[in-house]
Amino acid sequence: MTIRPLVILPDAVLRRTSEPVGPITPEIRTLVADMFETMYDAPGVGLAAIQVGVAKRVVTIDTSKEEGVRDPRVFIDPEIVWSSEEKRVYDEGCLSIPEYYAEVERPDRVRVKFRDLDGNEQEIEADGLLATCIQHEIDHLNGVLFIDHISKLKRDRVIKRFTKAAKRDAA
């Protein structure tokens, strides 16, 4: 397992739409293992493959809160097939937009269809943090960032700040 470098805003890679995975290959299994290693190291609760520069529809999530307990979940080619009308506001952050958080309103519950690492079709209903995380990561697969759900003014400020930092780091 390898910790992969994270793609950071304003990198245009984050706006790419990810491609379906197709067959579960050894390369996909390695990608998933590396994504977990990268996510836990960051540390974060979710990671989309595009955040490590791979435009495949792969998501890793672990929303366990208990110290020393892990509940790793893999979602391959995930798709939200239902979402509740009830909304929930969560203070979201993103490994690709480090140290920035904003309140985002999303459906409180979702049903998601996906394949597991063995290629089996699965469907789960999620609520709370897991539902928020699934929606956040699927957004990544579609080139959408959580800052796209906040006001244009706040979003423009964040993009400007990260663009300045990227220029400074490149100099």
Side-chain angles (χ1 to χ4, degrees), residues 42-82:
V45 295
L47 189 67
I50 196 69
Q51 292 179 271
V52 292
V54 179
K56 291 286 184 189
R57 298 186 76 79
V58 177
V59 166
T60 56
I61 292 176
D62 187 340
T63 56
S64 62
K65 297 269 191 181
E66 208 173 311
E67 185 72 32
V69 174
R70 288 192 170 167
D71 183 22
R73 298 172 184 239
V74 178
F75 298 83
I76 296 175
D77 297 328
E79 174 189 352
I80 294 172
V81 295
W82 173 84

Side-chain angles (χ1 to χ4, degrees), residues 13 27 35 37 46 53 85 96 107 109 118:
V13 167
E27 292 79 17
M35 286 174 65
E37 191 77 12
E85 298 213 4
S96 292
R109 294 185 332 276
D118 293 320

